[in-house]
Amino acid sequence: IRLCLFIYFWEKIRNDMQGTIIFDKNYHIKKQFLELFFYMFIILSVFDQSREAFPIPNVLNSMIPLIRDVLILYFFIRNFSKKINSLFVLLPCMLFFMVIIGFLNIHSIKVVKEMWNYLKFFLIYYVFSNEEIFISNRKKFLLFYLRCVLILFIFNVIVVFCFSAFLTRLFSAGLRLTVGNSSIVSYLYISALIIVLYFEVVRHRIIYIVMYILAIVSTVTTTAFVAIIPILFIYFVTQLNIKQKVIVLFFTFIVLCVLINVISSISLLSSFLDYLKEKGEQLFELLSFNSDISSVGTLSARELQKRNLLSNMTFMDYIFGLGFSGYNKYIDFMVENQFITFIGLFGLVGVFFVVFILARFFITSIFTVNVYNLTIISVFLCYCYTLVIFLPYASNFVTAFLFALSNFYINTNKNRFYIMRKNI
């Protein structure tokens, strides 16, 4: 009788719960496939700049971007009904308007391809913000991302050392230990460093921090050297109380003065100091408005691109923009400066819209004491000076990924303050 009652109630409960997570046999299989797709999505994104160096057939290599875009659309469609706001109504209208203006300027359908590159930023951001597979296994996927970036660093070092002459011709690697665009690769390394600092994902955090700093230095990129300063400064200073901050800042200044004097007196290290001075001079030239840029390198080339575009734009171009790929009306390639790119694409109206969003994000971060947000917006602004962030896929992915992670950042110092105040 007991056995019959047990079987009866078990079958009743099983029938009532049919289709739920506990009794749905297909659920676990589906979950495994979703996780596999998400792992694939991260791999294809992290190794985007290096995939041409892999010994894979050209046909498969050309299909990788298509596979990646299909995964983005798949995860977006899965979560389309979640958190739809006015931004997803305004955005398609604005992008469609820029497609029309760009087509009228250059009479080419390649404007649609560039529009898709910008649209992917919002799709990737939406996926990482709403995908349940990522949210419920966030720590596991973040750890996987960190390891992928570390493998990318090791891969770059090995490939450049073994095939440096070959890569110099094909990828312009030279003395930089990167395959592909060094600024974009450094952006990947910096994103991993930020995740290690602000998310408790790894155990031996100091080892990962040192490895990613070495990776950033290996790119020999001015922007990365500048961007790493606010990352480390904001993080380590915010871990101290007011008294400790004053002491640390004072002794840091003294130590820097002593180190500069010591380094300048040693012939072997003085050349390295001269190199740092040259990088500093390039930075000041980048931020200045001088009519003559004397440095030979990427900064002078970017300055020339900027002047060629802005000097040819008409008054109406400044107001409404040139649309996607509309800059080809005046120059052959895009200016590697995101601020100038926004002016060329969207005009002053679009620039005002972007600045308003960034300012709102920045002010909100200050009032909520969100140190992570302040860090990523500092890095974002640094890279905007030397990179069209939303056009190459890898930098587009990193930016959307970092901004999406702000939804999951927990300010432990802020929570501690509220607990203390409540107890008092």
Side-chain angles (χ1 to χ4, degrees):
I1 293 173
R2 289 178 179 177
L3 179 61
C4 292
L5 288 174
F6 174 78
I7 294 173
Y8 170 78
F9 285 107
W10 170 256
E11 287 297 322
K12 188 176 186 307
I13 294 172
R14 185 177 182 274
N15 292 330
D16 292 339
M17 298 290 289
Q18 193 65 252
T20 62
I21 294 175
I22 299 174
F23 295 96
D24 191 353
K25 297 179 180 179
N26 295 325
Y27 171 81
H28 298 288
I29 299 175
K30 183 180 179 182
K31 182 181 178 183
Q32 290 178 352
F33 273 106
L34 287 174
E35 289 185 357
L36 179 63
F37 289 157
F38 215 86
Y39 282 130
M40 187 187 303
F41 171 48
I42 293 175
I43 291 173
L44 296 181
S45 300
V46 171
F47 291 92
D48 177 74
Q49 287 290 299
S50 303
R51 58 188 171 84
E52 294 186 7
F54 284 101
I56 56 179
N58 292 330
V59 177
L60 179 60
N61 199 5
S62 61
M63 290 181 62
I64 287 177
L66 178 62
I67 296 172
R68 190 184 58 213
D69 291 351
V70 169
L71 289 173
I72 293 173
L73 285 174
Y74 170 70
F75 283 110
F76 173 74
I77 293 172
R78 263 178 48 85
N79 299 277
F80 180 71
S81 61
K82 301 176 183 177
K83 297 181 181 178
I84 294 295
N85 52 34
S86 58
L87 179 63
F88 285 89
V89 177
L90 176 64
L91 179 67
C93 297
M94 184 181 72
L95 295 184
F96 181 70
F97 184 63
M98 291 300 109
V99 167
I100 294 176
I101 294 179
F103 180 79
L104 293 176
N105 279 318
I106 64 170
H107 304 287
S108 173
I109 61 172
K110 78 175 189 176
V111 295
V112 178
K113 181 180 179 180
E114 187 164 325
M115 181 273 291
W116 169 239
N117 290 330
Y118 278 83
L119 183 61
K120 271 191 285 192
F121 168 80
F122 295 95
L123 299 183
I124 295 169
Y125 174 84
Y126 192 83
V127 167
F128 280 108
S129 299
N130 298 284
E131 175 55 52
E132 186 61 34
I133 291 296
F134 174 73
I135 294 174
S136 58
N137 301 279
R138 185 171 64 253
K139 185 175 181 179
K140 181 172 67 175
F141 282 113
L142 288 180
L143 181 60
F144 180 75
Y145 178 83
L146 294 177
R147 289 173 176 172
C148 283
V149 176
L150 196 57
I151 294 172
L152 174 67
F153 170 52
I154 297 171
F155 171 80
N156 283 339
V157 171
I158 293 175
V159 172
V160 172
F161 270 119
C162 295
F163 309 100
S164 59
F166 175 73
L167 286 175
T168 301
R169 292 193 300 270
L170 286 189
F171 302 108
S172 300
L175 297 176
R176 296 174 174 177
L177 303 181
T178 59
V179 178
N181 187 296
S182 60
S183 294
I184 297 175
V185 175
S186 68
Y187 201 23
L188 280 162
Y189 295 156
I190 280 181
S191 68
L193 177 62
I194 293 174
I195 292 172
V196 171
L197 291 175
Y198 289 100
F199 295 92
E200 296 181 359
V201 180
V202 295
R203 293 182 180 179
H204 306 290
R205 182 180 292 184
I206 187 65
I207 297 176
Y208 279 85
I209 291 174
V210 172
M211 289 297 295
Y212 291 129
I213 290 177
L214 289 176
I216 294 167
V217 173
S218 71
T219 63
V220 196
T221 304
T222 306
T223 310
F225 293 164
V226 175
I228 201 173
I229 295 174
I231 293 175
L232 298 178
F233 178 82
I234 294 174
Y235 177 76
F236 288 111
V237 171
T238 51
Q239 305 303 308
L240 308 172
N241 57 42
I242 297 177
K243 184 179 179 180
Q244 291 173 332
K245 290 175 185 177
V246 174
I247 296 174
V248 168
L249 292 175
F250 175 74
F251 278 102
T252 301
F253 176 76
I254 299 297
V255 170
L256 286 176
C257 293
V258 173
L259 283 177
I260 291 174
N261 290 328
V262 172
I263 292 175
S264 59
S265 62
I266 301 175
S267 58
L268 182 63
L269 297 176
S270 60
S271 58
F272 179 71
L273 185 62
D274 293 335
Y275 170 76
L276 292 179
K277 289 181 179 179
E278 181 183 354
K279 288 295 182 182
E281 291 174 359
Q282 288 182 349
L283 175 63
F284 282 113
E285 288 178 352
L286 178 67
L287 301 176
S288 67
F289 295 93
N290 295 332
S291 59
D292 183 25
I293 298 293
S294 59
S295 295
V296 178
T298 57
L299 298 184
S300 58
R302 290 188 181 97
E303 184 66 19
L304 183 61
Q305 294 171 6
K306 181 178 72 175
R307 290 174 187 166
N308 288 340
L309 177 63
L310 297 181
S311 61
N312 287 303
M313 288 176 62
T314 63
F315 176 77
M316 295 302 294
D317 293 336
Y318 274 104
I319 299 298
F320 298 106
L322 295 165
F324 291 112
S325 298
Y327 49 84
N328 289 142
K329 181 180 180 182
Y330 302 122
I331 58 176
D332 295 331
F333 41 83
M334 174 48 67
V335 179
E336 293 183 333
N337 184 315
Q338 189 64 65
F339 299 114
I340 304 301
T341 302
F342 277 139
I343 294 176
L345 289 177
F346 309 117
L348 295 178
V349 176
V351 171
F352 175 79
F353 179 72
V354 173
V355 171
F356 173 78
I357 293 177
L358 289 176
R360 183 176 178 273
F361 185 80
F362 180 75
I363 294 172
T364 304
S365 302
I366 291 178
F367 280 106
T368 56
V369 199
N370 194 322
V371 184
Y372 171 80
N373 285 355
L374 296 177
T375 301
I376 61 172
I377 200 169
S378 300
V379 173
F380 173 77
L381 292 175
C382 288
Y383 274 88
C384 278
Y385 278 106
T386 57
L387 194 66
V388 186
I389 291 179
F390 299 103
L391 202 53
Y393 173 77
S395 55
N396 198 345
F397 166 82
V398 169
T399 306
F401 183 43
L402 289 178
F403 274 97
L405 288 181
S406 65
N407 298 325
F408 310 110
Y409 169 71
I410 300 174
N411 194 332
T412 54
N413 292 330
K414 178 184 174 184
N415 291 341
R416 234 182 264 124
F417 171 75
Y418 283 138
I419 293 172
M420 291 173 60
R421 190 174 68 176
K422 184 177 180 180
N423 292 334
I424 293 173

